[in-house]
Amino acid sequence: MAQVCYCSVSSKITRERTEEIRKAADLTDKIRAAGGLSICDRTYRLKKYKQCFVASELVKWLIDSGEAEGEEQAVELGQLLVNTDYIHHVVDEHNFENGYLFFRFRQDEPPEQAFQGPSVAFMRGQEGALISLLAKRRIVLGWTYYTFVLSPSSTLYQYRSELDSAPLQCYSLENGFIQPENPKGNCKVFAIMHVFSKTKTKLLTLGADSSETQFTWLQAFSARGLEILPSVDEADEMVKNARSIFDFKATDIDGNVVSLDRYRGHVTLIVNVASQ
């Protein structure tokens, strides 16, 4: 199945977004205060899911209570609760729909599942967060698509999908580096970005399906203080054209990029050490 790459940046919290959050909060209070919705432990295929409710029962409650005029509006209100991070599917596999699906209020999350990291829905409400479907290069499986979120604080979160309650992995990119690359041969992605930590340890390799998506991410990385290195092709060309070591840069012990030209005129010893 072809993957469609989307890319969105959360702008300032708009009046519309504020109204959605207020409406969802009010609706949550009404649902929980009325006592008409059964929230309890449920079992499906021999597995127990704690403190959850059935989506179709919430649809019925919304209609019976007058909060919704019909099924379509009730489903829209249920999805509003998902989008504002008040409820989620118990295994994060479905948006809200009128069916026998288990959903849970965030405040009813079991202790062992709570505070595992920000959900994608929560990050959508964070000003400046970049959310995108990107491919990640894996050693055995090759390119696999995930939802990636770049926070305003330079943390990169990797999610299985945009419905996830917690990230699969987190990468701290403060003072890191990004190196673009143009794929060669029969590659499944249009553009490649190598992501390095501040010590220039490679953290992961990402693939974008368009130059526009790559440009958006490079802009976001740069805005957060990451240095955009010359592309792999440009670096190769620099090596070919270099006339001395003073044409190169290196990372010092503090993680700062230093031009070797500063040592021109000094006796210089270059040592390759197997440490980070």
Side-chain angles (χ1 to χ4, degrees):
M1 181 181 294
Q3 296 285 347
V4 179
C5 186
Y6 62 89
C7 202
S8 66
V9 180
S10 300
S11 59
K12 286 190 175 181
I13 305 303
T14 62
R15 181 179 301 176
E16 181 180 356
R17 177 66 178 179
T18 302
E19 176 60 24
E20 286 179 348
I21 294 173
R22 185 200 62 77
K23 185 175 181 179
D26 290 345
L27 184 58
T28 297
D29 290 342
K30 290 179 181 178
I31 295 170
R32 297 180 66 85
L37 183 66
S38 175
I39 299 175
C40 60
D41 294 352
R42 300 174 188 273
T43 302
Y44 182 71
R45 292 183 177 177
L46 303 180
K47 184 173 181 179
K48 179 182 286 187
Y49 299 94
K50 297 180 180 180
Q51 291 298 290
C52 57
F53 61 89
V54 179
S56 58
E57 293 181 5
L58 176 57
V59 169
K60 183 178 184 303
W61 184 93
L62 290 168
I63 296 173
D64 291 346
S65 65
E67 294 293 334
E69 295 181 357
E71 178 184 343
E72 182 177 351
Q73 189 178 17
V75 171
E76 289 177 356
L77 288 175
Q79 187 60 41
L80 172 68
L81 296 177
V82 172
N83 293 342
T84 50
D85 207 33
Y86 280 90
I87 66 172
H88 71 106
H89 183 248
V90 289
V91 291
D92 297 327
E93 291 183 350
H94 295 276
N95 279 306
F96 191 84
E97 56 186 271
N98 186 12
Y100 190 73
L101 298 171
F102 296 168
F103 280 77
R104 180 186 294 124
F105 284 97
R106 289 289 183 192
Q107 62 198 88
D108 292 330
E109 210 77 86
E112 64 272 16
Q113 293 179 231
F115 310 115
Q116 293 181 349
S119 66
V120 178
F122 174 81
M123 292 305 298
R124 287 191 189 282
Q126 303 305 297
E127 182 179 337
L130 175 61
I131 304 173
S132 179
L133 187 66
L134 294 174
K136 177 183 177 181
R137 187 155 63 192
R138 304 172 68 183
I139 295 176
V140 177
L141 300 178
W143 293 102
T144 305
Y145 277 87
Y146 297 95
T147 295
F148 283 90
V149 179
L150 181 61
S151 75
S153 61
S154 302
T155 299
L156 182 66
Y157 296 103
Q158 175 190 336
Y159 298 87
R160 182 189 53 178
S161 78
E162 61 179 329
L163 297 174
D164 277 9
S165 295
L168 296 172
Q169 285 186 277
C170 305
Y171 304 91
S172 176
L173 304 185
E174 186 176 2
N175 299 321
F177 303 86
I178 306 296
Q179 185 176 39
E181 180 185 351
N182 294 320
K184 296 178 178 65
N186 185 22
C187 187
K188 294 184 178 180
V189 296
F190 181 87
I192 294 173
M193 294 173 286
H194 302 287
V195 183
F196 299 86
S197 69
K198 64 181 180 181
T199 59
K200 283 202 172 178
T201 300
K202 183 181 284 191
L203 299 175
L204 72 165
T205 297
L206 299 174
D209 74 339
S210 70
S211 58
E212 291 79 8
T213 300
Q214 183 196 44
F215 180 71
T216 299
W217 275 87
L218 291 177
Q219 276 191 317
F221 286 134
S222 179
R224 287 159 176 78
L226 281 77
E227 180 178 351
I228 309 301
L229 300 173
S231 69
V232 173
D233 291 338
E234 291 172 338
D236 289 343
E237 194 65 25
M238 288 172 62
V239 171
K240 292 178 183 178
N241 297 331
R243 289 174 290 183
S244 72
I245 64 168
F246 304 117
D247 293 333
F248 295 96
K249 296 179 180 179
T251 304
D252 67 16
I253 196 170
D254 297 317
N256 301 313
V257 177
V258 178
S259 172
L260 296 185
D261 188 63
R262 68 184 293 182
Y263 302 106
R264 188 183 295 272
H266 299 273
V267 177
T268 306
L269 175 65
I270 300 177
V271 181
N272 181 24
V273 295
S275 62
Q276 297 180 1

